[in-house]
Amino acid sequence: SLNGDGSIKWRRSLNSDGTPVTSSPAIAADGTLYITTQRGELHAFDLSGRPQWEFPFTSTVNPSELLPSPAVDAAAYVIGDTRLSAIRPDGTFAWSWEASRELIGSPAFIAQQLPGPTSATTPTAGIAETPSPTPTPSTFETVVYVIDNAGTVYGVRGATGTLLGRLDLGAT
């Protein structure tokens, strides 16, 4: 990490065998620094450079393709092959979502207003009524956007890993 004047603030070696880092660092709003290694690990460091945790991904993920992106809700979203995973700030696994094709680039995210769930109306006593959906208030949630190697963009709910929608942009 660097100071404002460009001098070194802190430096850490991830391991003794020189395993290369495979991504640019991603920095969360609280200053947590995330990086991935060729061994398939996501590492988190605090502002002073102290290691907070490391999360090992399974051998099914190509370690050189791990790309982190921390989001506004403090999860780290990581792409590896066809999988988008969310890791909580404490280093525990939250969820993963899998595309049918290889995901490329880094995940992008935004706090987006999503419609709230709907609830059915209750019939008035003695009068048969067709329940109609009543929208509840909208909420802001993190939506994570990823793109696959065929040009399909996916929007995934940051809290749950649920697919919200997809848009086919054609071959990239």
Side-chain angles (χ1 to χ4, degrees):
S1 176
L2 301 177
N3 291 308
D5 64 3
S7 62
I8 294 175
K9 182 175 182 177
W10 56 264
R11 180 184 300 178
R12 295 289 178 267
S13 175
L14 294 176
N15 50 59
S16 58
D17 66 0
T19 298
V21 170
T22 58
S23 67
S24 297
I27 304 171
D30 67 359
T32 302
L33 180 90
Y34 297 96
I35 58 164
T36 56
T37 68
Q38 197 168 30
R39 275 194 267 173
E41 302 158 337
L42 174 66
H43 292 260
F45 297 89
D46 70 10
L47 288 169
S48 65
R50 284 189 305 264
Q52 298 303 293
W53 48 261
E54 72 179 56
F55 184 88
F57 283 87
T58 64
S59 60
T60 59
V61 174
N62 177 355
S64 65
E65 295 298 321
L66 288 176
L67 300 166
S69 185
V72 292
D73 62 1
Y77 299 108
V78 181
I79 287 177
D81 294 329
T82 59
R83 185 164 296 183
L84 170 66
S85 299
I87 310 302
R88 293 182 189 99
D90 65 0
T92 59
F93 177 81
W95 55 259
S96 73
W97 172 82
E98 189 148 357
S100 58
R101 294 180 175 266
E102 181 182 1
L103 298 172
I104 58 175
S106 293
F109 55 87
I110 188 169
Q112 191 169 330
Q113 191 169 15
L114 299 176
T118 57
S119 60
T121 59
T122 54
T124 307
I127 302 173
E129 211 177 275
T130 304
S132 61
T134 304
T136 59
S138 298
T139 58
F140 280 91
E141 293 188 39
T142 298
V143 177
V144 184
Y145 291 95
V146 293
I147 189 167
D148 69 20
N149 60 5
T152 302
V153 176
Y154 302 91
V156 178
R157 189 180 300 262
T160 62
T162 306
L163 179 66
L164 293 170
R166 58 186 272 166
L167 175 63
D168 184 8
L169 299 177
T172 56

